[in-house]
Coordinates of all heavy atoms in Angstrom, one line a residue:
M162 N 93.3 126.3 179.5 CA 94.6 126.6 179.0 C 94.6 127.9 178.2 O 93.7 128.0 177.3 CB 95.2 125.4 178.2 CG 96.5 125.8 177.5 SD 97.1 124.4 176.5 CE 97.5 123.2 177.7
P163 N 95.5 128.8 178.5 CA 95.5 130.1 177.7 C 95.9 129.8 176.3 O 96.6 128.9 175.9 CB 96.6 130.9 178.4 CG 96.9 130.2 179.7 CD 96.5 128.8 179.6
K164 N 95.3 130.6 175.4 CA 95.5 130.6 173.9 C 97.0 131.1 173.7 O 97.6 131.8 174.6 CB 94.6 131.5 173.2 CG 93.1 131.1 173.3 CD 92.8 130.0 172.5 CE 91.3 129.7 172.6 NZ 90.9 128.7 171.7
G165 N 97.5 130.8 172.6 CA 98.8 131.4 172.1 C 98.6 132.2 170.9 O 97.5 132.0 170.2
Y166 N 99.4 133.2 170.7 CA 99.3 134.1 169.6 C 100.6 134.4 168.9 O 101.6 134.4 169.5 CB 98.7 135.5 170.1 CG 97.3 135.3 170.7 CD1 97.3 135.0 172.1 CD2 96.2 135.4 170.0 CE1 96.0 134.9 172.7 CE2 94.9 135.2 170.5 CZ 94.9 134.9 171.9 OH 93.6 134.7 172.5
W167 N 100.5 134.6 167.6 CA 101.6 135.2 166.9 C 101.2 136.7 166.6 O 100.1 136.9 166.2 CB 101.8 134.6 165.5 CG 102.4 133.2 165.4 CD1 102.6 132.4 166.4 CD2 102.8 132.6 164.2 NE1 103.2 131.2 165.9 CE2 103.3 131.3 164.5 CE3 102.8 133.0 162.9 CZ2 103.8 130.5 163.7 CZ3 103.3 132.1 161.9 CH2 103.8 130.9 162.3
I168 N 102.1 137.6 166.9 CA 101.9 139.0 166.5 C 103.1 139.3 165.5 O 104.2 139.2 165.8 CB 102.1 139.9 167.7 CG1 101.0 139.6 168.7 CG2 101.9 141.4 167.3 CD1 101.1 140.3 170.0
A169 N 102.7 139.5 164.2 CA 103.6 139.8 163.2 C 103.4 141.2 162.6 O 102.3 141.6 162.4 CB 103.4 138.8 162.0
R170 N 104.6 141.8 162.4 CA 104.6 143.1 161.8 C 105.5 143.0 160.6 O 106.7 142.7 160.7 CB 105.1 144.1 162.7 CG 104.2 144.2 164.0 CD 104.8 145.1 165.1 NE 105.3 146.3 164.6 CZ 106.5 146.9 164.8 NH1 107.4 146.2 165.5 NH2 106.8 148.0 164.3
V171 N 105.1 143.4 159.4 CA 105.8 143.1 158.1 C 105.7 144.3 157.2 O 104.7 144.9 157.0 CB 105.2 141.9 157.4 CG1 105.9 141.5 156.2 CG2 105.2 140.7 158.4
D172 N 106.8 144.5 156.5 CA 106.9 145.4 155.3 C 107.2 144.5 154.2 O 108.3 143.9 154.1 CB 108.0 146.5 155.5 CG 107.6 147.6 156.5 OD1 106.4 147.9 156.6 OD2 108.6 148.1 157.2
V173 N 106.3 144.4 153.2 CA 106.5 143.6 152.0 C 107.2 144.4 151.0 O 106.8 145.5 150.6 CB 105.1 143.2 151.5 CG1 105.2 142.4 150.2 CG2 104.3 142.4 152.5
R174 N 108.3 143.8 150.5 CA 109.2 144.4 149.5 C 108.7 144.0 148.1 O 108.9 144.7 147.1 CB 110.7 144.1 149.7 CG 111.3 144.8 150.9 CD 112.7 144.5 151.0 NE 112.9 143.3 151.9 CZ 113.4 142.1 151.5 NH1 113.7 141.9 150.3 NH2 113.5 141.1 152.3
D175 N 108.2 142.8 148.0 CA 107.9 142.2 146.7 C 106.5 141.6 146.9 O 106.3 140.4 147.2 CB 108.9 141.1 146.4 CG 108.6 140.4 145.1 OD1 107.5 140.6 144.5 OD2 109.4 139.5 144.6
P176 N 105.4 142.3 146.5 CA 104.1 141.8 146.7 C 103.8 140.5 145.9 O 103.1 139.6 146.5 CB 103.2 142.9 146.2 CG 104.0 144.2 146.3 CD 105.4 143.7 146.1
E177 N 104.3 140.4 144.7 CA 104.1 139.1 144.0 C 104.8 137.9 144.7 O 104.2 136.8 144.8 CB 104.6 139.2 142.5 CG 103.7 140.1 141.7 CD 102.2 139.5 141.6 OE1 102.1 138.3 141.4 OE2 101.3 140.3 141.9
G178 N 106.0 138.1 145.1 CA 106.7 137.0 145.9 C 106.0 136.7 147.2 O 106.1 135.6 147.7
Y179 N 105.4 137.7 147.8 CA 104.8 137.5 149.1 C 103.6 136.5 148.9 O 103.2 135.8 149.9 CB 104.3 138.8 149.7 CG 104.0 138.8 151.1 CD1 105.0 138.7 152.1 CD2 102.7 138.7 151.6 CE1 104.6 138.7 153.5 CE2 102.3 138.7 152.9 CZ 103.3 138.6 153.9 OH 103.1 138.5 155.2
K180 N 103.0 136.5 147.8 CA 101.9 135.6 147.5 C 102.4 134.1 147.7 O 101.7 133.3 148.1 CB 101.3 135.9 146.1 CG 100.5 137.1 146.0 CD 100.0 137.3 144.6 CE 99.3 138.7 144.4 NZ 98.9 139.0 143.1
D181 N 103.6 133.9 147.2 CA 104.2 132.6 147.4 C 104.3 132.2 148.9 O 104.1 131.1 149.3 CB 105.5 132.5 146.7 CG 105.4 132.6 145.2 OD1 104.3 132.3 144.6 OD2 106.4 133.1 144.6
Y182 N 104.7 133.2 149.7 CA 104.9 133.0 151.1 C 103.5 132.6 151.7 O 103.3 131.6 152.5 CB 105.4 134.2 151.9 CG 105.1 134.2 153.3 CD1 105.7 133.3 154.2 CD2 104.1 135.0 153.8 CE1 105.3 133.3 155.5 CE2 103.7 135.0 155.1 CZ 104.3 134.2 156.0 OH 104.0 134.1 157.3
V183 N 102.5 133.4 151.3 CA 101.1 133.2 151.8 C 100.7 131.7 151.5 O 100.1 131.0 152.4 CB 100.2 134.2 151.4 CG1 98.7 133.9 151.7 CG2 100.5 135.6 151.9
A184 N 100.8 131.3 150.3 CA 100.5 130.0 149.9 C 101.2 128.9 150.7 O 100.7 127.9 151.1 CB 100.6 129.8 148.3
A185 N 102.5 129.1 150.9 CA 103.3 128.1 151.6 C 102.9 128.1 153.1 O 102.8 127.0 153.7 CB 104.8 128.4 151.5
A186 N 102.7 129.2 153.7 CA 102.4 129.3 155.1 C 101.0 128.7 155.4 O 100.8 128.1 156.4 CB 102.4 130.8 155.6
K187 N 100.1 128.7 154.4 CA 98.8 128.2 154.5 C 98.8 126.7 154.9 O 98.0 126.2 155.7 CB 98.0 128.4 153.2 CG 96.5 127.9 153.4 CD 95.8 128.2 152.1 CE 94.3 127.8 152.2 NZ 93.9 126.6 152.8
L188 N 99.8 126.0 154.4 CA 100.0 124.6 154.8 C 100.1 124.4 156.3 O 99.4 123.5 156.9 CB 101.1 124.0 154.0 CG 101.0 124.0 152.5 CD1 102.3 123.4 151.9 CD2 99.9 123.1 152.0
A189 N 100.9 125.2 156.9 CA 101.2 125.1 158.4 C 100.0 125.6 159.1 O 99.5 125.0 160.1 CB 102.4 125.9 158.7
F190 N 99.4 126.7 158.6 CA 98.2 127.3 159.3 C 97.0 126.3 159.3 O 96.3 126.2 160.3 CB 97.8 128.6 158.7 CG 98.9 129.7 158.9 CD1 99.0 130.8 158.0 CD2 99.8 129.6 159.9 CE1 99.9 131.7 158.2 CE2 100.8 130.6 160.1 CZ 100.8 131.6 159.3
D191 N 96.8 125.6 158.2 CA 95.7 124.7 158.1 C 96.0 123.5 159.0 O 95.1 123.0 159.7 CB 95.6 124.1 156.6 CG 95.0 125.1 155.7 OD1 94.5 126.2 156.2 OD2 95.0 124.9 154.5
R192 N 97.3 123.1 159.1 CA 97.6 121.9 160.0 C 97.3 122.2 161.4 O 96.9 121.4 162.2 CB 99.0 121.6 159.8 CG 99.5 120.5 160.7 CD 101.0 120.1 160.4 NE 101.6 119.4 161.5 CZ 102.8 119.4 161.9 NH1 103.7 120.1 161.2 NH2 103.2 118.7 162.9
F193 N 97.6 123.5 161.8 CA 97.4 123.9 163.2 C 96.1 124.5 163.5 O 95.8 124.9 164.7 CB 98.6 124.8 163.7 CG 99.9 124.0 163.9 CD1 100.7 123.7 162.8 CD2 100.2 123.4 165.1 CE1 101.9 123.0 163.0 CE2 101.3 122.7 165.3 CZ 102.2 122.5 164.2
G194 N 95.2 124.6 162.6 CA 93.9 125.2 162.8 C 93.8 126.6 163.4 O 93.1 126.8 164.3
V195 N 94.6 127.5 162.8 CA 94.7 128.8 163.3 C 93.5 129.6 163.1 O 92.7 129.3 162.2 CB 96.0 129.5 162.8 CG1 97.2 128.7 163.0 CG2 95.8 129.9 161.3
K196 N 93.4 130.7 163.9 CA 92.3 131.7 163.6 C 93.0 133.1 163.4 O 93.8 133.5 164.3 CB 91.3 131.7 164.8 CG 90.3 132.7 164.7 CD 89.3 132.6 165.9 CE 88.2 133.7 165.7 NZ 87.4 133.7 167.0
F197 N 92.8 133.7 162.3 CA 93.3 135.1 162.1 C 92.4 136.1 162.8 O 91.2 136.1 162.5 CB 93.4 135.4 160.6 CG 94.5 134.6 160.0 CD1 94.4 133.4 159.4 CD2 95.8 135.3 159.9 CE1 95.4 132.7 158.8 CE2 96.9 134.6 159.3 CZ 96.7 133.3 158.8
L198 N 93.0 136.8 163.7 CA 92.2 137.9 164.4 C 92.4 139.2 163.7 O 91.5 140.1 163.7 CB 92.7 138.0 165.9 CG 92.5 136.7 166.7 CD1 93.0 136.9 168.1 CD2 91.0 136.3 166.6
A199 N 93.6 139.4 163.1 CA 93.9 140.6 162.3 C 94.8 140.2 161.2 O 95.7 139.4 161.4 CB 94.6 141.7 163.1
R200 N 94.6 140.6 160.0 CA 95.4 140.2 158.8 C 95.5 141.3 157.9 O 94.6 141.5 157.0 CB 94.8 139.0 158.2 CG 95.7 138.3 157.2 CD 95.0 137.0 156.8 NE 96.0 136.1 156.1 CZ 95.7 135.0 155.6 NH1 94.5 134.5 155.7 NH2 96.7 134.3 155.0
G201 N 96.5 142.2 158.0 CA 96.6 143.3 157.2 C 95.5 144.3 157.6 O 95.2 144.5 158.7
G202 N 95.0 145.0 156.6 CA 93.9 145.9 156.9 C 94.4 147.3 157.4 O 95.5 147.5 157.6
E203 N 93.4 148.1 157.6 CA 93.7 149.5 158.0 C 94.2 149.5 159.5 O 93.8 148.7 160.3 CB 92.4 150.4 158.0 CG 92.6 151.8 158.2 CD 91.3 152.6 158.0 OE1 90.5 152.2 157.2 OE2 91.3 153.7 158.6
H204 N 95.2 150.3 159.7 CA 95.8 150.5 161.1 C 96.2 151.9 161.3 O 96.3 152.7 160.4 CB 96.9 149.5 161.2 CG 98.1 149.8 160.4 ND1 98.2 149.5 159.0 CD2 99.2 150.4 160.7 CE1 99.3 149.9 158.6 NE2 100.0 150.5 159.5
E205 N 96.5 152.2 162.5 CA 97.0 153.5 162.9 C 98.3 153.3 163.8 O 98.3 152.5 164.8 CB 96.0 154.2 163.9 CG 96.5 155.5 164.4 CD 95.5 156.1 165.4 OE1 94.3 155.8 165.3 OE2 95.9 157.0 166.2
K206 N 99.4 153.9 163.4 CA 100.6 153.8 164.2 C 100.5 154.8 165.3 O 100.5 156.0 165.1 CB 101.8 154.2 163.3 CG 103.1 154.1 164.0 CD 104.3 154.4 163.1 CE 104.3 155.9 162.8 NZ 105.5 156.3 162.1
A207 N 100.3 154.3 166.5 CA 100.1 155.2 167.7 C 101.4 155.6 168.3 O 101.6 156.7 168.8 CB 99.2 154.6 168.7
E208 N 102.4 154.6 168.4 CA 103.7 154.9 169.0 C 104.7 154.0 168.3 O 104.4 152.9 167.8 CB 103.7 154.5 170.5 CG 102.9 155.4 171.4 CD 103.1 155.1 172.8 OE1 104.2 154.7 173.3 OE2 102.1 155.2 173.6
G209 N 105.9 154.6 168.3 CA 107.1 153.7 167.8 C 107.0 153.6 166.3 O 106.3 154.2 165.6
T210 N 108.0 152.8 165.9 CA 108.1 152.5 164.4 C 107.0 151.5 164.0 O 106.9 150.4 164.6 CB 109.5 151.9 164.2 OG1 110.5 152.8 164.6 CG2 109.7 151.7 162.7
G211 N 106.3 151.8 163.0 CA 105.3 150.8 162.6 C 105.7 150.1 161.3 O 106.7 150.3 160.8
R212 N 104.9 149.1 160.9 CA 105.1 148.4 159.7 C 103.8 148.4 158.9 O 102.7 148.7 159.5 CB 105.4 146.9 160.0 CG 106.7 146.7 160.8 CD 107.8 146.2 159.9 NE 109.0 145.9 160.6 CZ 110.1 145.9 160.0 NH1 110.3 146.1 158.7 NH2 111.3 145.6 160.6
A213 N 103.9 148.2 157.7 CA 102.7 148.3 156.7 C 101.7 147.2 156.9 O 100.5 147.4 156.8 CB 103.2 148.3 155.3
R214 N 102.1 146.0 157.4 CA 101.2 144.9 157.5 C 101.3 144.4 158.9 O 102.4 144.1 159.4 CB 101.6 143.9 156.5 CG 100.6 142.7 156.4 CD 101.0 141.7 155.3 NE 100.1 140.6 155.3 CZ 98.9 140.5 154.8 NH1 98.3 141.6 154.4 NH2 98.2 139.4 154.9
N215 N 100.2 144.2 159.6 CA 100.1 143.7 161.0 C 99.2 142.5 161.0 O 98.0 142.6 160.5 CB 99.6 144.8 161.9 CG 100.6 146.0 161.8 OD1 101.6 146.0 162.4 ND2 100.2 147.0 161.0
V216 N 99.6 141.4 161.7 CA 98.8 140.2 161.7 C 98.8 139.7 163.1 O 99.9 139.6 163.8 CB 99.4 139.1 160.7 CG1 98.7 137.9 160.8 CG2 99.6 139.7 159.3
I217 N 97.6 139.2 163.6 CA 97.5 138.5 164.9 C 96.9 137.2 164.6 O 95.8 137.2 164.0 CB 96.7 139.3 165.9 CG1 97.3 140.7 166.1 CG2 96.6 138.6 167.2 CD1 96.5 141.6 166.9
I218 N 97.5 136.1 164.9 CA 97.0 134.8 164.7 C 96.8 134.0 166.0 O 97.8 134.1 166.9 CB 98.0 134.0 163.8 CG1 98.3 134.7 162.5 CG2 97.4 132.6 163.6 CD1 99.4 134.1 161.7
E219 N 95.6 133.4 166.3 CA 95.4 132.7 167.5 C 95.6 131.2 167.3 O 95.2 130.6 166.3 CB 93.9 133.0 167.9 CG 93.5 132.3 169.2 CD 92.1 132.6 169.5 OE1 91.2 131.9 169.0 OE2 91.8 133.6 170.3
F220 N 96.2 130.6 168.3 CA 96.4 129.2 168.5 C 95.8 128.7 169.7 O 95.5 129.4 170.6 CB 98.0 128.9 168.5 CG 98.7 129.2 167.2 CD1 99.1 130.5 167.0 CD2 99.0 128.2 166.3 CE1 99.8 130.9 165.8 CE2 99.7 128.6 165.2 CZ 100.0 129.9 164.9
E221 N 95.6 127.3 169.8 CA 95.0 126.7 170.9 C 95.8 126.9 172.2 O 95.3 127.0 173.2 CB 94.8 125.2 170.7 CG 93.6 125.0 169.8 CD 92.3 125.5 170.3 OE1 92.0 125.3 171.5 OE2 91.6 126.2 169.5
S222 N 97.2 127.1 172.0 CA 98.0 127.3 173.2 C 99.4 127.9 172.7 O 99.6 127.9 171.5 CB 98.4 126.0 173.8 OG 99.1 125.1 172.9
L223 N 100.2 128.4 173.6 CA 101.5 128.9 173.2 C 102.4 127.8 172.7 O 103.1 128.0 171.7 CB 102.2 129.5 174.4 CG 103.6 130.1 174.2 CD1 103.4 131.2 173.1 CD2 104.2 130.7 175.4
A224 N 102.2 126.5 173.2 CA 102.9 125.4 172.7 C 102.6 125.2 171.2 O 103.5 124.9 170.4 CB 102.7 124.2 173.5
A225 N 101.3 125.2 170.8 CA 100.9 125.1 169.4 C 101.4 126.2 168.6 O 101.9 125.9 167.4 CB 99.3 125.0 169.4
A226 N 101.5 127.4 169.1 CA 102.0 128.5 168.3 C 103.6 128.3 168.0 O 104.0 128.5 167.0 CB 101.9 129.8 169.1
H227 N 104.2 127.8 169.1 CA 105.7 127.4 168.9 C 105.9 126.3 167.9 O 106.7 126.3 167.0 CB 106.2 127.0 170.3 CG 107.6 126.6 170.3 ND1 108.7 127.4 170.4 CD2 108.2 125.3 170.2 CE1 109.8 126.8 170.3 NE2 109.5 125.5 170.2
E228 N 105.0 125.2 168.1 CA 105.2 124.1 167.1 C 104.9 124.5 165.7 O 105.6 124.0 164.8 CB 104.2 123.0 167.6 CG 104.6 122.3 168.9 CD 103.5 121.3 169.3 OE1 102.7 120.8 168.5 OE2 103.4 121.1 170.5
C229 N 103.9 125.3 165.5 CA 103.7 125.8 164.2 C 104.8 126.6 163.6 O 105.2 126.3 162.5 CB 102.4 126.6 164.1 SG 101.9 127.2 162.5
Y230 N 105.3 127.5 164.4 CA 106.4 128.3 163.8 C 107.6 127.5 163.4 O 108.3 127.7 162.4 CB 106.9 129.4 164.9 CG 108.0 130.3 164.3 CD1 107.7 131.3 163.5 CD2 109.3 129.9 164.5 CE1 108.7 132.1 162.9 CE2 110.3 130.7 164.0 CZ 110.0 131.8 163.1 OH 111.0 132.5 162.6
H231 N 107.9 126.5 164.3 CA 109.1 125.6 164.0 C 108.8 124.4 163.1 O 109.7 123.6 162.9 CB 109.7 125.2 165.4 CG 110.3 126.4 166.1 ND1 111.5 127.0 165.8 CD2 109.8 127.1 167.2 CE1 111.7 128.0 166.6 NE2 110.7 128.1 167.4
S232 N 107.6 124.3 162.7 CA 107.2 123.2 161.8 C 108.0 123.2 160.5 O 108.3 124.3 160.0 CB 105.7 123.1 161.6 OG 105.4 124.2 160.7
P233 N 108.2 122.0 159.9 CA 108.9 122.1 158.5 C 108.0 122.9 157.5 O 108.6 123.6 156.7 CB 108.9 120.6 158.2 CG 108.8 119.8 159.5 CD 108.0 120.7 160.4
E234 N 106.7 122.8 157.6 CA 105.9 123.5 156.7 C 106.1 125.1 156.8 O 106.2 125.7 155.8 CB 104.4 123.3 156.9 CG 104.0 121.8 156.7 CD 104.0 121.0 158.0 OE1 104.7 121.3 158.9 OE2 103.4 119.9 158.0
Y235 N 106.1 125.5 158.0 CA 106.2 127.0 158.2 C 107.7 127.4 157.9 O 107.9 128.5 157.3 CB 105.8 127.4 159.6 CG 105.7 129.0 159.5 CD1 104.7 129.6 158.8 CD2 106.7 129.8 160.1 CE1 104.7 131.0 158.6 CE2 106.7 131.2 160.0 CZ 105.6 131.8 159.3 OH 105.7 133.1 159.2
Q236 N 108.6 126.6 158.3 CA 110.0 127.0 158.0 C 110.3 127.1 156.5 O 111.1 127.9 156.1 CB 111.0 126.0 158.7 CG 111.0 126.2 160.2 CD 111.4 127.6 160.6 OE1 112.4 128.2 160.2 NE2 110.5 128.3 161.3
R237 N 109.6 126.3 155.7 CA 109.7 126.5 154.2 C 109.2 127.8 153.8 O 109.7 128.6 152.9 CB 109.0 125.4 153.5 CG 109.8 124.1 153.5 CD 109.2 123.0 152.5 NE 108.0 122.4 153.0 CZ 108.0 121.4 153.9 NH1 109.1 120.9 154.4 NH2 106.9 120.9 154.3
A238 N 108.0 128.2 154.4 CA 107.4 129.6 154.2 C 108.3 130.7 154.6 O 108.5 131.7 154.0 CB 106.1 129.6 154.8
V239 N 109.0 130.5 155.8 CA 109.9 131.5 156.3 C 111.0 131.8 155.3 O 111.3 133.0 155.0 CB 110.6 131.1 157.7 CG1 111.8 132.0 158.0 CG2 109.5 131.1 158.8
A240 N 111.6 130.8 154.7 CA 112.6 131.0 153.6 C 112.1 131.9 152.5 O 112.9 132.7 152.0 CB 113.1 129.6 153.1
I241 N 110.9 131.7 152.1 CA 110.3 132.6 151.0 C 110.1 134.0 151.6 O 110.5 135.0 150.9 CB 109.0 132.0 150.6 CG1 109.2 130.6 149.9 CG2 108.3 132.9 149.6 CD1 107.9 129.8 149.7
R242 N 109.5 134.1 152.8 CA 109.1 135.5 153.3 C 110.3 136.3 153.5 O 110.4 137.5 153.2 CB 108.4 135.3 154.7 CG 108.1 136.6 155.3 CD 107.3 136.5 156.6 NE 107.7 135.5 157.5 CZ 108.8 135.6 158.3 NH1 109.6 136.6 158.3 NH2 109.1 134.6 159.2
Q243 N 111.4 135.7 154.0 CA 112.7 136.5 154.3 C 113.3 137.0 153.0 O 114.0 138.0 153.1 CB 113.6 135.7 155.0 CG 113.1 135.5 156.5 CD 114.1 134.6 157.3 OE1 114.9 133.8 156.8 NE2 113.9 134.7 158.6
K244 N 112.9 136.5 151.8 CA 113.4 137.0 150.6 C 112.6 138.2 150.0 O 113.1 139.0 149.3 CB 113.4 135.9 149.5 CG 114.4 134.8 149.7 CD 114.3 133.8 148.7 CE 115.2 132.5 149.0 NZ 115.0 131.4 148.1
V245 N 111.4 138.3 150.5 CA 110.5 139.3 149.9 C 109.9 140.3 150.9 O 109.1 141.2 150.5 CB 109.3 138.6 149.2 CG1 109.8 137.7 148.0 CG2 108.4 137.8 150.1
A246 N 110.2 140.2 152.2 CA 109.6 141.0 153.2 C 110.6 141.2 154.4 O 111.4 140.3 154.6 CB 108.3 140.5 153.7
D247 N 110.4 142.2 155.2 CA 111.1 142.5 156.4 C 110.1 142.5 157.5 O 109.0 143.1 157.3 CB 111.9 143.8 156.3 CG 112.9 143.8 155.2 OD1 113.7 142.9 155.1 OD2 112.9 144.8 154.4
G248 N 110.4 142.0 158.6 CA 109.5 142.1 159.8 C 109.9 141.4 161.0 O 111.0 140.9 161.1
E249 N 109.0 141.2 161.9 CA 109.3 140.4 163.1 C 108.0 139.7 163.5 O 106.9 140.2 163.2 CB 109.8 141.3 164.2 CG 109.0 142.6 164.5 CD 109.4 143.8 163.6 OE1 110.5 143.9 163.2 OE2 108.4 144.5 163.4
I250 N 108.2 138.6 164.2 CA 107.1 137.8 164.7 C 107.4 137.5 166.2 O 108.5 137.1 166.5 CB 106.9 136.5 164.0 CG1 106.6 136.8 162.5 CG2 105.8 135.6 164.6 CD1 106.5 135.5 161.7
V251 N 106.5 137.7 167.1 CA 106.6 137.3 168.5 C 105.5 136.3 168.8 O 104.4 136.4 168.3 CB 106.6 138.5 169.5 CG1 107.8 139.4 169.2 CG2 105.3 139.3 169.4
L252 N 105.8 135.4 169.6 CA 104.8 134.4 170.1 C 104.5 134.8 171.5 O 105.4 135.0 172.3 CB 105.4 133.0 170.0 CG 105.5 132.3 168.7 CD1 106.4 133.1 167.7 CD2 106.0 130.9 168.8
V253 N 103.2 134.9 171.8 CA 102.7 135.4 173.1 C 101.7 134.5 173.7 O 100.8 134.0 172.9 CB 102.1 136.8 172.9 CG1 101.6 137.4 174.2 CG2 103.1 137.7 172.2
E254 N 101.7 134.3 175.0 CA 100.7 133.6 175.7 C 99.6 134.5 176.0 O 99.8 135.6 176.5 CB 101.2 132.9 176.9 CG 100.2 132.0 177.7 CD 100.9 131.3 178.8 OE1 101.3 132.0 179.7 OE2 100.8 130.1 178.9
G255 N 98.3 134.1 175.8 CA 97.2 134.9 176.2 C 96.8 134.8 177.6 O 97.4 134.1 178.4
V256 N 95.8 135.5 178.0 CA 95.3 135.5 179.4 C 94.1 134.7 179.5 O 93.4 134.5 178.6 CB 95.1 137.0 179.9 CG1 96.4 137.7 179.9 CG2 94.1 137.7 179.0

């Protein structure tokens, strides 16, 4: 079965508040046993509009990625993130 991925691009407006998001999201990530492939760090904007923070998270399947995003644990984290950061997340099936 192909893996599932979240690809997130984020501009953090409130670094202290973002820490609360990270702590809240950890509950969902622990529950779903995610693997971070990229989490912030150095990057190069090659084309288009970039964001300051880029994250790639691996899940066992696209269904698991979907379940995690829509889980009560992660939705509580979303409410925090949207107050302190701007960005987008896409869920993608791997090959």
Side-chain angles (χ1 to χ4, degrees):
M162 172 181 292
K164 300 281 187 178
Y166 300 89
W167 286 12
I168 301 172
R170 301 172 47 231
V171 180
D172 286 327
V173 177
R174 290 182 268 109
D175 175 358
E177 286 302 309
Y179 196 78
K180 291 177 184 177
D181 295 335
Y182 159 73
V183 170
K187 185 179 184 317
L188 298 174
F190 296 154
D191 287 349
R192 177 177 163 208
F193 285 88
V195 306
K196 179 179 180 183
F197 285 90
L198 302 180
R200 192 174 195 178
E203 191 172 333
H204 67 281
E205 175 184 341
K206 180 179 75 169
E208 289 187 35
T210 304
R212 296 257 186 202
R214 184 172 177 78
N215 301 282
V216 180
I217 302 171
I218 305 172
E219 182 180 84
F220 292 81
E221 285 302 311
S222 65
L223 183 58
H227 176 87
E228 289 172 24
C229 182
Y230 182 83
H231 293 284
S232 71
E234 297 92 341
Y235 191 71
Q236 288 304 302
R237 283 190 286 278
V239 167
I241 297 168
R242 179 178 40 79
Q243 290 177 341
K244 292 177 186 174
V245 299
D247 300 306
E249 50 276 326
I250 297 174
V251 296
L252 283 59
V253 179
E254 184 176 60
V256 293

